[in-house]
Amino acid sequence: MAEIHIHRDHDLGLKKAREIAWTWAEHVEQRFDMECTVIEGKDEDTVEFTRSGVKGELTVTADRFELVAQLGFLLGAFKASIEGEIQKELDTLLAAGRKKAPAKKKPA
């Protein structure tokens, strides 16, 4: 069984990180037919995801994302490309989360 382990530090806080994790979960449910379950906690959330040949968790805290996934025999052959795709998706979502909303103009 092949394992994927991805770690990303961030400074978004739990509220924003939670939003990103939920967006990620919705995306993988639609794109990869995953079944995701979000377990909300006080200091961290866990997104459990599964489908045939894949089982894993994305742990989200105020300052990090930690993804661990086990790939079955058939998908294990594609570990590098699957890992790269997950990294790209998480990095894109984190970058979007870091962008600040434009400042509101003050009335004249």
Side-chain angles (χ1 to χ4, degrees):
M1 213 180 228
E3 183 172 281
I4 294 174
H5 186 220
I6 299 170
H7 176 95
R8 293 291 185 269
D9 292 322
H10 65 82
D11 58 359
L12 301 172
L14 184 58
K15 181 180 177 184
K16 187 65 177 174
R18 183 176 275 158
E19 291 172 12
I20 290 170
W22 292 350
T23 299
W24 180 84
E26 290 172 357
H27 176 77
V28 298
E29 281 181 328
Q30 293 171 0
R31 185 167 178 206
F32 301 108
D33 199 29
M34 292 278 186
E35 184 177 317
C36 295
T37 303
V38 177
I39 302 164
E40 228 177 296
K42 181 180 176 189
D43 298 323
E44 72 178 33
D45 290 356
T46 302
V47 178
E48 295 177 344
F49 54 93
T50 187
R51 66 163 275 177
S52 179
V54 180
K55 182 178 181 179
E57 292 183 343
L58 172 64
T59 303
V60 182
T61 70
D63 60 0
R64 72 176 165 80
F65 283 85
E66 194 82 32
L67 184 138
V68 178
Q70 290 78 39
L71 304 177
F73 179 73
L74 293 176
L75 289 178
F78 301 101
K79 177 186 179 225
S81 60
I82 292 169
E83 187 170 20
E85 194 64 31
I86 293 170
Q87 288 175 345
K88 181 180 166 185
E89 179 71 20
L90 272 178
D91 290 344
T92 298
L93 290 170
L94 282 168
R98 287 185 185 109
K99 291 181 182 176
K100 297 188 179 200
K104 293 182 182 178
K105 293 183 178 180
K106 294 181 181 178

